[in-house]
Amino acid sequence: MELQVNGIKHTVSAWSETSLLYVLRDELDLTGSKYGCGEGQCGACTVLMDGKAVRSCRVPLSATQGKQITTIEGLEKEGQLHPVQEALLNVDVFQCGYCAPGMIMSAVALLETNPQPSEEEIVAHMNGNVCRCGTYPRIVRAIKEASNA
Amino acid sequence: MKKETDTDIKSNQEQSQPSPDNGNQFSSSRRRFFKLLGGGIAVTFVLQDAFAFLADPENTAVLQQASPKEVGAWIHIGENDVITVYTGKVEVGQNIRTSLAQVVAEELHVPMASITMVMGDTDLTPYDAGTFGSRSTPSMGPQLRKAAATAQAMLLDMAAEQWKVNISALRVADGKVINTKNNKSLSFGQISKGKQLLKEISDNTSLTPTEKWRVAGTSVPKVNGRDLITGRHKFVSDLKQPGMLYGKVLRAPAFGASLATVDLSAAKAMPGVVVVQEDDFIGVAAPDAPTAAKAIEAIEVSWNKTQQPSRSNIFDYLKQHATDGRGGRGSAEKGSIAQGMAAADKKLAATYKVDYIAHAPMEPRAAVAQWENGKLTVWTGTQRPFGVQDDLASKFNLPKEKVRVIMPDTGSAYGGKHSGEAAVEAARLAKAAQKPVKLTWTREEEFTWAYFRPAGVIEVSSGVKNDGILTSWEFHNYNSGPSGIRTPYEVPNQQIQYHPVESPLYQGSYRGLASTANIFVLESQMDDLASLVNMDPLEFRLKNLQEPRLKAVFEAAAKGFGWGKTKPAPNHGYGIGGGTEKAGFTATCAEIAVDPGTGDVKIVRITTAFECGAIINPEHLDNQILGAIVQGLGGALFEAVDFENGKILNPHFAQYRVPRFKDTPAIEIITLNRKDLPSAGAGEAPIVGIAPAIRNAIADATGVRLKTLPLVPDGLKANLGAP
């Protein structure tokens, strides 16, 4: 099957019902997207599919055909970080950072559709992403900062 | 105390003998040492042990047994100006990689960027018991400061000799020694060029006083922050080795179950699949993870189950199976409880129940194991790399130097990764497969077969005079553990006992350990006693408290919160709680709101004041306190491991609720910077005031004095219904 990731077309050997997360990590070695629960409950595996945030652990390969997938590895352009990444770095948000790629992809998707979200909108949109280190208020602050950039 | 003899070795052979009996050994060790590191100068710790170890030509590991009983570290200054710090401590999100580098940069007067931290690698770093108990900052920090200061003194000596000037004419800045007489300078690398010098850390070295800190004490950003936000950092679960297989382990359906019958033939028939059975351990290794999962599913197995406790009867079980506890860990006895109770005007006894809770680190346990020429290397996320090295050495009957454990910065732990289960499992599979094997636990495995914060029953009985002076304090803790069990309040008559129990579920360390249970009970009982004698809860605490640092945080939290300035709105309540743990002092004030119709409890705002001596990194300290508050909210409000007859019923995030964005209230963090006191760790202590402050705020709003953790997994409706 074919898979379009970060602008590159890949041919992959996995079965059509295999999860997108598995294909990204184990076949394409794009390990930025993380396994956290395998049931779409924690958001660590979040990627963009045609610009929308999806939980890649719950997306079968068959559902990705003809779609553009963007992962954390595809955000930085020629050494230039995405404004969300810049803001997270600036606020020095993370502790262990395992949730970071999923958080960033969710936030990027939010700002794509809502460039100036209110705090309530940020919280509502991000609620599916878990940070067990508890950095939520810092993430909210960084997303606000990115939205003003 | 360490010896303060100068074991400086000049490259001249004649001068390289610190003692007559081990001279040859010493110089050959030194050569091997610098062969591994490159030339330059190094400052280490307990040098003799290190040399004894290195003298054995069979050893390929460096200094792993340098200091078996103490925390060790060392610093190497290379000819290329790269400064490498070696420590057995590990990074799990507490940002110790940054703060330890800060103290070295401070004492050596070098830019942060010139420092590389090598952490938690049993071949490269000196022995370390583990990263727990908030010990890295108070014990490793000062050692590294001394090592760095010793190194700087060496560099100054060497520059003075080279230039033939007095040391007083020299100063150090930005990784250079500068001759103030002629403004000439030499970089550290230039000074160490061609040298192979080793020196023992000197306890005499003078350290930069806190008030003169320029790098330490500032908010240096996380050193590898960019790798985390670009997805470039390789966690253990991201690692790959050539030819690597993917492992999976067959799990029992419940605690206490043992294998009855098993048929492995279908799994063994699958192409490329290796099946391992050793007693009750059954695992597979396959070319890819889906095949490994299919192979496990193909195993036909039946289990012998035994009767096991359930959540519904766990507290009776713990009481029934408890030991006496007299004289055990945490016990304290003072005065006479009989006299104390006789002297009391009011008496209050209560029983509290605390559930098992899970750490639920975002990265589940994982390991990559590889056998090569009889040596086992395992990459795994553990707080105790050297402990896991011991486990592996004993499991496979290997000498320790044939086992290397490497810990890449890991996706959090919170006290939940002291062990090395995944490491041992991956190594078993890799040994059988004769190929590297990666094993990543599923979320369900992590929620079931890792270990929990203990459940416990705590009974407290206390007496107080009408004027608010405590007379008696009797405290019995069944299974929760001894941390934080002693009362910080002045009570003339005390009996405090921890009664250990053989837990039916795996249990172990946690953020703040048992103090999350003990201080919850202590501070709840204090609130109820204050109410009994009609005193303000803050005033009551301060009246019975002498410890000035704890008083200071109570006062700071109260001031920030506006305690006593306003009355809570209808259906709102204010609560306070605090304590001390691991040399950190914390107090929290909480405002909650109860919906009288639904019984839902909402946390409106939290103010936490914290003091841990001199602050090394203000932003990162703030972040740790924030993390403790948010994690504390989960344990306070709704987290609980549910189980029936030894089977975990909620091993998924869909059923085990953890705090999310929507659960986070307005949070105010107040830090007290005591530059006059040694820095203590901060990852744990700030959690202990959260649950009691919320509990006491609920009591303030409703009069309902809850005695369980979690407090309100299903809201307050049941409590509000009953008068």
Side-chain angles (χ1 to χ4, degrees):
Chain A
M1 297 187 98
E2 286 190 343
L3 190 61
Q4 284 269 359
V5 186
N6 302 329
I8 299 167
K9 191 181 282 185
H10 299 270
T11 304
V12 296
S13 62
W15 310 305
S16 65
E17 71 270 28
T18 318
S19 77
L20 174 57
L21 177 65
Y22 164 77
V23 177
L24 291 172
R25 289 177 54 82
D26 284 14
E27 278 212 39
L28 304 180
D29 206 21
L30 295 170
T31 55
S33 310
K34 303 301 179 201
Y35 167 84
C37 68
E39 51 175 358
Q41 287 288 326
C42 77
C45 66
T46 305
V47 301
L48 304 185
M49 188 154 79
D50 284 350
K52 264 194 70 179
V54 294
R55 310 295 183 216
S56 66
C57 73
R58 304 294 293 160
V59 174
L61 189 55
S62 57
T64 65
Q65 300 307 291
K67 313 265 189 187
Q68 298 285 339
I69 306 296
T70 308
T71 70
I72 188 74
E73 290 88 351
L75 271 196
E76 190 180 355
K77 302 268 193 257
E78 287 158 11
Q80 189 68 42
L81 295 176
H82 187 281
V84 168
Q85 291 172 305
E86 284 285 3
L88 287 161
L89 213 48
N90 192 40
V91 178
D92 205 357
V93 165
F94 291 110
Q95 293 179 30
C96 83
Y98 192 81
C99 72
M103 287 285 175
I104 292 166
M105 300 317 285
S106 289
V108 167
L110 169 67
L111 297 184
E112 289 288 316
T113 53
N114 183 357
Q116 299 279 320
S118 66
E119 182 157 336
E120 291 69 30
E121 287 170 331
I122 294 171
V123 165
H125 178 86
M126 298 298 294
N127 204 48
N129 286 76
V130 173
C131 170
R132 191 62 168 145
C133 298
T135 64
Y136 301 125
R138 285 174 170 260
I139 295 172
V140 172
R141 209 200 312 164
I143 295 174
K144 276 191 203 160
E145 195 177 297
S147 75
N148 293 322
Chain B
M1 286 297 287
K2 292 184 291 297
K3 279 178 291 175
E4 281 160 22
T5 49
D6 185 349
T7 53
D8 190 349
I9 317 145
K10 302 288 185 284
S11 48
N12 182 332
Q13 183 68 28
E14 285 164 12
Q15 292 175 289
S16 68
Q17 297 182 7
S19 66
D21 52 356
N22 68 349
N24 291 332
Q25 182 174 305
F26 194 84
S27 70
S28 90
S29 300
R30 180 178 53 77
R31 278 198 299 275
R32 298 187 60 250
F33 178 97
F34 282 107
K35 196 176 159 192
L36 280 152
L37 285 180
I41 69 172
V43 174
T44 185
F45 185 68
V46 195
L47 204 56
Q48 304 309 335
D49 290 353
F51 280 134
F53 181 74
L54 280 167
D56 179 355
E58 289 300 305
N59 288 336
T60 53
V62 181
L63 282 187
Q64 61 175 347
Q65 292 171 325
S67 171
K69 294 219 167 49
E70 296 181 74
V71 182
W74 54 319
I75 296 175
H76 174 250
I77 297 170
E79 298 175 350
N80 53 0
D81 285 321
V82 172
I83 292 148
T84 313
V85 177
Y86 296 83
T87 164
K89 294 294 177 199
V90 295
E91 174 66 56
V92 286
Q94 78 283 42
N95 281 330
I96 200 73
R97 180 180 289 280
T98 305
S99 57
L100 290 179
Q102 274 181 269
V103 298
V104 172
E106 180 66 55
E107 297 296 343
L108 263 180
H109 298 92
V110 295
M112 279 290 288
S114 62
I115 296 176
T116 302
M117 301 287 297
V118 174
M119 304 179 75
D121 180 330
T122 60
D123 264 15
L124 296 179
T125 67
Y127 172 86
D128 185 84
T131 304
F132 52 77
S134 290
R135 297 303 304 156
S136 302
T137 298
S139 63
M140 182 55 71
Q143 275 187 37
L144 284 176
R145 286 178 70 191
K146 282 181 200 164
T150 308
Q152 188 188 284
M154 276 173 92
L155 290 159
L156 280 169
D157 279 346
M158 290 158 72
E161 199 180 311
Q162 190 164 337
W163 281 327
K164 306 285 178 224
V165 294
N166 195 292
I167 285 180
S168 61
L170 305 178
R171 69 182 182 90
V172 178
D174 274 337
K176 293 188 185 81
V177 178
I178 299 151
N179 184 340
T180 56
K181 299 275 192 269
N182 57 13
N183 247 359
K184 281 189 179 167
S185 69
L186 283 169
S187 78
F188 289 178
Q190 286 170 318
I191 297 172
S192 63
K193 203 164 185 68
K195 311 281 196 314
Q196 294 189 348
L197 299 184
L198 267 173
K199 194 178 169 83
E200 190 172 353
I201 292 173
S202 166
D203 264 349
N204 279 355
T205 319
S206 64
L207 301 176
T208 310
T210 318
E211 58 272 16
K212 292 196 173 154
W213 279 356
R214 289 155 306 163
V215 182
T218 68
S219 293
V220 170
K222 188 175 181 68
V223 288
N224 56 346
R226 196 178 169 110
D227 289 346
L228 293 172
I229 55 116
T230 52
R232 236 174 248 132
H233 174 67
K234 293 283 182 190
F235 292 89
V236 171
S237 43
D238 301 330
L239 297 175
K240 264 186 191 167
Q241 289 295 328
M244 186 181 85
L245 302 180
Y246 294 79
K248 196 157 179 67
V249 174
L250 182 73
R251 300 293 176 193
F255 282 84
S258 59
L259 212 54
T261 62
V262 62
D263 179 358
L264 302 172
S265 53
K268 283 183 171 167
M270 293 171 73
V273 173
V274 177
V275 182
V276 180
Q277 180 183 9
E278 292 162 13
D279 303 322
D280 268 14
F281 174 81
I282 294 175
V284 301
D288 56 69
T291 305
K294 282 195 163 70
I296 287 289
E297 279 166 31
I299 295 171
E300 286 189 33
V301 64
S302 65
W303 300 90
N304 292 319
K305 294 187 190 171
T306 53
Q307 189 67 35
Q308 293 287 315
S310 301
R311 187 182 175 205
S312 55
N313 61 15
I314 186 64
F315 300 115
D316 292 338
Y317 178 94
L318 294 176
K319 276 293 302 272
Q320 285 157 11
H321 291 77
T323 57
D324 174 27
R326 213 167 287 271
R329 281 195 302 157
S331 311
E333 214 144 339
K334 190 170 148 186
S336 147
I337 292 295
Q339 281 173 22
M341 290 307 262
D345 293 320
K346 300 246 165 55
K347 294 167 194 172
L348 185 65
T351 300
Y352 289 79
K353 291 164 183 174
V354 176
D355 266 302
Y356 289 104
I357 59 177
H359 310 78
M362 289 311 294
E363 183 184 23
R365 280 164 165 67
V368 176
Q370 174 177 285
W371 293 82
E372 243 176 8
N373 307 321
K375 181 162 179 172
L376 170 63
T377 301
V378 181
W379 291 260
T380 194
T382 177
Q383 295 173 253
R384 294 171 55 249
F386 288 88
V388 174
Q389 182 194 33
D390 278 343
D391 293 349
L392 290 165
S394 114
K395 177 83 211 161
F396 297 104
N397 201 18
L398 292 167
K400 268 203 282 194
E401 60 272 17
K402 293 287 182 195
V403 180
R404 180 182 188 181
V405 175
I406 304 170
M407 155 92 179
D409 292 8
T410 286
S412 77
Y414 321 113
K417 287 182 180 165
H418 285 206
S419 46
E421 302 89 344
V424 173
E425 291 165 355
R428 290 176 105 160
L429 295 172
K431 191 175 186 193
Q434 297 185 303
K435 282 181 180 169
V437 170
K438 173 155 82 177
L439 178 71
T440 306
W441 280 22
T442 62
R443 178 55 57 193
E444 185 171 331
E445 287 175 302
E446 182 70 30
F447 261 126
T448 307
W449 302 107
Y451 56 83
F452 304 116
R453 182 198 67 180
V457 177
I458 298 176
E459 294 170 345
V460 55
S461 169
S462 51
V464 64
K465 293 238 186 226
N466 280 331
D467 62 0
I469 294 292
L470 291 166
T471 60
S472 183
W473 186 261
E474 187 176 358
F475 196 95
H476 294 273
N477 165 322
Y478 300 89
N479 193 54
S480 269
S483 284
I485 200 169
R486 306 248 180 126
T487 174
Y489 299 100
E490 304 296 319
V491 196
N493 304 292
Q494 300 185 19
Q495 193 189 356
I496 295 166
Q497 280 175 7
Y498 159 51
H499 306 261
V501 186
E502 190 74 37
S503 166
L505 303 182
Y506 292 148
Q507 67 179 29
S509 188
Y510 184 73
R511 193 173 200 159
L513 302 137
S515 59
T516 51
N518 286 320
I519 294 177
F520 164 69
V521 173
L522 219 154
E523 286 293 277
S524 298
Q525 184 79 358
M526 286 298 286
D527 232 66
D528 295 355
L529 286 166
S531 164
L532 210 56
V533 294
N534 295 313
M535 274 179 80
D536 173 80
L538 174 65
E539 189 193 341
F540 178 68
R541 282 172 173 78
L542 295 176
K543 184 161 193 165
N544 287 287
L545 198 55
Q546 275 182 6
E547 169 57 58
R549 295 173 74 181
L550 189 51
K551 274 186 156 172
V553 289
F554 269 121
E555 283 161 351
K559 187 171 176 224
F561 184 82
W563 187 268
K565 299 274 186 245
T566 58
K567 288 254 174 272
N571 300 314
H572 284 230
Y574 296 160
I576 193 165
T580 173
E581 179 61 27
K582 310 273 185 288
F585 295 82
T586 189
T588 292
C589 294
E591 177 179 354
I592 64 99
V594 180
D595 183 321
T598 62
D600 285 346
V601 175
K602 182 178 156 47
I603 314 298
V604 179
R605 62 189 175 110
I606 296 269
T607 300
T608 291
F610 185 63
E611 188 259 289
C612 58
I615 297 171
I616 293 171
N617 187 315
E619 273 295 322
H620 290 175
L621 173 61
D622 191 271
N623 209 345
Q624 286 303 307
I625 299 168
L626 172 63
I629 293 170
V630 173
Q631 194 150 49
L633 287 174
L637 294 173
F638 39 68
E639 283 185 42
V641 174
D642 197 8
F643 57 102
E644 194 178 324
N645 199 12
K647 184 178 172 59
I648 307 298
L649 299 178
N650 57 346
H652 300 276
F653 280 130
Q655 299 133 357
Y656 184 99
R657 185 175 167 196
V658 295
R660 290 176 180 268
F661 278 91
K662 282 185 181 169
D663 297 311
T664 312
I667 291 171
E668 182 193 11
I669 293 165
I670 298 162
T671 50
L672 307 183
N673 193 3
R674 287 290 304 270
K675 290 188 178 180
D676 56 320
L677 294 171
S679 308
E684 305 191 71
I687 199 171
V688 302
I690 309 304
I694 292 171
R695 181 266 185 194
N696 295 336
I698 292 171
D700 185 46
T702 64
V704 178
R705 300 191 170 272
L706 296 167
K707 295 188 174 65
T708 58
L709 275 185
L711 295 163
V712 285
D714 306 306
L716 263 179
K717 199 165 173 106
N719 305 74
L720 294 176

